Amino acid sequence: MNRTSELPPRTYLFVPGTREDRFTKAFATGADCVILDLEDAVSADDKPQARETVARWLTSASPEQRLRVAVRINDAGSSYFAEDLAALRACGAANVVLPKAENAAQIAAVTAGVPGVRVLALIESARGVAFVDEIAGASGVSRLLFGTLDFALDLDLDISDDASGLAYAASCIVIASRLADLPAPVAGVTPQLDDDARLLADLAQARNFGFGAKLCIHPKQIGIIHEALLPSAQALDWARRVLAADAASPGAARLDGRMVDRPVVLQAQRVLALARDSRF
């Protein structure tokens, strides 16, 4: 079965697992997926409470909410991993974000612990990039995510002003996703909350690499990203003119001094399909 058959989320909004008051509110932001976080956003002392809170909320959530929620558990090497899986198995979680994904065995541990779960594998280390093909192809993986901040920390990269050091890893993640027939991967967070220009620049760079969605840490980032992902008026005009030219002269059309061959036609169709996306 083609694993890209479902329309994939464009935005993933993190919410601390301790903040039950924010869980339902997060859906009102328009985020396509809400990530209830048991890892970085929760201190060691609060992890048992957060796990219980998330599991209880999922048990009573609506079917639509359960499908739009993913839970970021603690990594496979942590002492919290087994308890996280047990709690999510009991409440029937549908989606799990596995941080620090580094091999297929970790994916197998998650799917064994929570049968039927879809795994969003978060690549955030050099080892994760080295084994990204194995991870992408593992049974149960539904999408790859790029944890840029932790990856930069792992390699001692300063990406505050220049993120070019992420290029190789980003390309590996995109290509691995394509080879495994997964949706385009999810770009990392932009921590600058009051810098819309930086958010858009980060998104544009990620799109240039082939990423199709973005992790978010604040509700106000959601609308900005969704709007930026819409085709521009110029792109829509170009796409319509391409299809008109191809219809008038199939296989031998020219437009703006360029031959309109099959890849150009397919790209035009993709632009128009995106504009018709009912979520916009």
Side-chain angles (χ1 to χ4, degrees):
M1 178 178 176
N2 188 320
R3 290 191 277 178
T4 62
S5 58
E6 296 180 4
L7 202 61
R10 304 155 296 178
T11 47
Y12 294 77
L13 177 63
F14 282 105
V15 180
T18 52
R19 297 300 305 269
E20 186 173 4
D21 58 310
R22 296 184 184 177
F23 292 179
T24 301
K25 292 178 181 177
F27 291 100
T29 66
D32 293 328
C33 181
V34 174
I35 299 178
L36 305 182
D37 192 9
L38 299 179
E39 194 209 18
D40 285 350
V42 180
S43 68
D45 291 342
D46 290 336
K47 288 189 185 292
Q49 175 205 339
R51 184 186 303 119
E52 179 182 342
T53 298
V54 167
R56 182 179 64 247
W57 186 87
L58 278 172
T59 299
S60 60
S62 69
E64 189 269 344
Q65 288 175 327
R66 292 166 69 86
L67 287 176
R68 285 180 59 194
V69 163
V71 180
R72 178 163 71 170
I73 60 176
N74 291 280
D75 69 85
S78 74
S79 59
Y80 312 106
F81 181 68
E83 291 178 276
D84 288 350
L85 294 182
L88 296 187
R89 179 174 61 250
C91 68
N95 304 286
V96 167
V97 176
L98 176 65
K100 300 176 179 62
E102 294 185 338
N103 55 64
Q106 294 171 340
I107 307 298
V110 174
T111 56
V114 189
V117 76
R118 291 176 290 194
V119 182
L120 298 152
L122 185 55
I123 308 299
E124 46 189 344
S125 68
R127 187 173 297 275
V129 172
F131 292 96
V132 70
D133 291 339
E134 172 187 319
I135 296 166
S139 178
V141 171
S142 62
R143 202 168 194 180
L144 300 183
L145 286 57
F146 190 14
T148 49
L149 299 184
D150 280 286
F151 179 79
L153 181 64
D154 188 39
L155 271 67
D156 194 21
L157 302 175
D158 182 359
I159 60 172
S160 54
D161 295 316
D162 180 5
S164 59
L166 302 175
Y168 174 76
S171 295
C172 288
I173 292 169
V174 169
I175 293 172
S177 295
R178 184 68 189 92
L179 292 177
D181 201 20
L182 297 174
V186 184
V189 302
T190 296
Q192 293 85 355
L193 297 180
D194 299 314
D195 191 343
D196 293 353
R198 176 61 183 267
L199 177 67
L200 290 171
D202 286 353
L203 177 63
Q205 182 182 54
R207 289 292 297 126
N208 286 339
F209 281 123
F211 285 76
K214 189 163 172 59
L215 298 173
C216 303
I217 55 175
H218 195 281
K220 66 182 180 181
Q221 296 179 328
I222 303 298
I224 296 171
I225 292 170
H226 287 178
E227 183 175 355
L229 289 174
L230 274 171
S232 66
Q234 293 85 350
L236 289 172
D237 177 67
W238 170 83
R240 294 186 184 106
R241 291 192 298 119
V242 165
L243 296 187
D246 182 64
S249 182
R254 289 169 57 94
L255 181 68
D256 301 333
R258 179 181 177 184
M259 182 178 69
V260 178
D261 56 5
R262 179 170 171 77
V264 175
V265 172
L266 292 177
Q267 179 61 29
Q269 292 173 342
R270 180 178 295 177
V271 169
L272 293 176
L274 180 59
R276 292 191 299 266
D277 187 338
S278 62
R279 298 176 302 184
F280 286 107

